[in-house]
Amino acid sequence: MIDLDLLKAALDEARLAPSVHNVQPTRWRVLGDRLLLLGDPARAIPVADSAGRDWRLSHGAHFEGLSLALAARGASLAGPQMLPGEQVSNGLVPIATCEVRAEAVESPREPVSERMSWRGGFKPVDAETQAGLARFAAERSDCTLVTGRHDIMEIAHLADRAALYFLRDGQHRAELLEWLRLSRAHPRYQRDGLNADAMQLSRIEAFGAGLVLGPLFRPLDRIGLAAPLVRETAKTSSSVGTVLFHRPAGEDPFVSGRAFYRAWLAMERAGLKGCPMSVLADWDESRETLARRFAVPADRHIVSVFRVGRPDGVQGGARARLPVDELIV
Ligand SMILES: Cc1cc2nc3c(=O)[nH]c(=O)nc-3n(C[C@H](O)[C@H](O)[C@H](O)COP(=O)(O)O)c2cc1C
């Protein structure tokens, strides 16, 4: 039988794994000496992620988080055995099974609590940052690092175009707004989604963001003001590098998600904070442009793109996460 206290302690750490829009879709069921990983289809973003790719990436990242947390406690997670995953049982989709073993595995201690999405600006590059970038690039063969100033500026403009392409779709904006917690009075502020602290927004900025992404978007866009208001050029161009995270074409996004989390932890170990810019990987035009410009091999797929650097500021507020008890069903 699985030691429930061990599982809960490990999940307390695993829940810090990244998930798209912080939807935290992964649930666990104990089946004797095995664990069943389930996905909550209500915690998904079907407009922005119609194929469920980011949803599956998020499950992979969470699985990797549990694997790391168990390894740190002298146990290991064997598997996963993937399930077809199309049927819904009690509102949840079974995705994989795995086994908790009471045997220690070699695993480096990863900076799980320190890693987070940094959505502010970055400090100018210095020797230490450069050394960190070099260490990171040497470690990850699935990441192409772009550091040229001109290239970063070009990527910043491309990211703004990609973001606008998606934001012009009203359903896309509505879905995003559903997961934004722009007021500290929001009942789910500390539980899930993207809150104002995580987005680095002051009260006034958060209020403005709600209007710009909500009722004012269309009128502003008609007079050419939506683009400058949603633009992130300044933040992206202050970054010291862009990381193109690419995986074998056709790889199960669950597997990519495991590597995605590891790559992000490697950035943290190298002293770099990062923020994914998924729109660059999601929009065919930007993904293909980046693959061509930065020679990503044809048999590899750009899964995500990060801007990275050393943060110019500090992150306020606690990390919004669901309590461990809700992750075990
Ligand atoms: C597949 C995936 C895609 C993501 N895309 C974005 C993105 O485009 N922009 C962004 O700001 N954060 C993105 N994130 C980061 C999540 O919003 C973040 O992990 C979540 O809010 C939890 O916060 P934390 O990373 O600080 O722990 C993505 C995360 C995942 C797993």
Side-chain angles (χ1 to χ4, degrees):
M1 276 299 287
I2 288 169
D3 177 342
L4 208 54
D5 288 336
L6 170 69
L7 177 64
K8 284 185 178 178
L11 280 176
D12 193 35
E13 205 174 297
R15 71 195 177 125
L16 295 177
S19 65
V20 66
H21 286 15
N22 202 18
V23 300
Q24 304 170 66
T26 310
R27 298 291 171 272
W28 295 95
R29 183 170 293 156
V30 179
L31 299 175
D33 60 354
R34 295 188 72 78
L35 282 178
L36 176 63
L37 186 160
L38 300 127
D40 184 347
R43 292 181 160 275
I45 49 167
V47 178
D49 181 32
S50 56
R53 209 174 50 88
D54 284 354
W55 193 68
R56 237 176 136 73
L57 276 166
S58 303
H59 288 304
H62 181 99
F63 178 90
E64 196 63 10
L66 184 61
S67 174
L68 286 169
L70 285 169
R73 287 163 179 77
S76 66
L77 195 58
Q81 278 89 47
M82 306 311 294
L83 300 168
E86 265 122 39
Q87 278 138 16
V88 179
S89 93
N90 292 334
L92 298 172
V93 182
I95 292 179
T97 63
C98 51
E99 197 184 327
V100 178
R101 293 194 182 145
E103 62 190 25
V105 284
E106 274 286 313
S107 181
R109 198 79 182 100
E110 291 282 15
V112 166
S113 324
E114 293 82 7
R115 183 218 59 86
M116 53 157 210
S117 303
W118 171 255
R119 299 190 179 86
F122 297 93
K123 287 184 177 154
V125 70
D126 58 13
E128 197 185 329
T129 315
Q130 237 145 17
L133 287 167
R135 276 202 310 280
F136 171 73
E139 180 176 333
R140 298 295 311 190
S141 59
D142 54 5
C143 292
T144 296
L145 181 63
V146 178
T147 54
R149 290 276 16 117
H150 183 77
D151 293 335
I152 290 174
M153 275 306 289
E154 190 183 320
I155 292 169
H157 290 303
L158 191 59
D160 286 340
R161 281 180 51 219
L164 202 58
Y165 170 82
F166 291 112
L167 287 175
R168 283 194 165 130
D169 172 11
Q171 284 186 325
H172 191 105
R173 284 198 314 282
E175 183 177 79
L176 174 61
L177 278 169
E178 234 178 84
W179 288 99
L180 289 182
R181 280 78 179 102
L182 295 171
S183 153
R184 281 162 185 81
H186 193 293
R188 309 179 71 87
Y189 195 84
Q190 299 289 6
R191 282 173 59 82
D192 57 15
L194 302 164
N195 69 30
D197 287 306
M199 303 292 289
Q200 299 261 317
L201 297 174
S202 66
R203 262 166 221 268
I204 295 280
E205 286 168 335
F207 180 73
L211 292 175
V212 171
L213 294 172
L216 293 186
F217 187 89
R218 274 186 207 287
L220 286 170
D221 200 24
R222 269 199 292 273
I223 55 170
L225 274 181
L229 284 170
V230 297
R231 200 172 275 164
E232 296 212 305
T233 330
K235 281 183 194 171
T236 312
S237 54
S238 75
S239 64
V240 300
T242 304
V243 172
L244 309 180
F245 172 68
H246 47 78
R247 299 290 301 174
E251 179 175 81
D252 179 347
F254 185 95
V255 177
S256 313
R258 297 182 65 181
F260 174 86
Y261 192 17
R262 287 295 191 130
W264 202 337
L265 290 165
M267 280 174 218
E268 183 66 41
R269 260 189 285 110
L272 304 164
K273 290 260 184 271
C275 177
M277 301 184 286
S278 291
V279 287
L280 282 169
D282 292 347
W283 191 33
D284 292 346
E285 189 174 321
S286 48
R287 192 184 57 253
E288 284 159 17
T289 302
L290 291 173
R292 222 177 18 251
R293 277 279 282 111
F294 301 105
V296 174
D299 60 349
R300 300 189 65 88
H301 180 84
I302 298 180
V303 174
S304 193
V305 180
F306 289 81
R307 56 174 183 247
V308 299
R310 294 216 299 155
D312 190 11
V314 283
Q315 178 81 56
R319 312 270 295 274
R321 288 298 192 274
L322 297 172
V324 168
D325 284 342
E326 290 185 31
L327 306 183
I328 304 174
V329 292

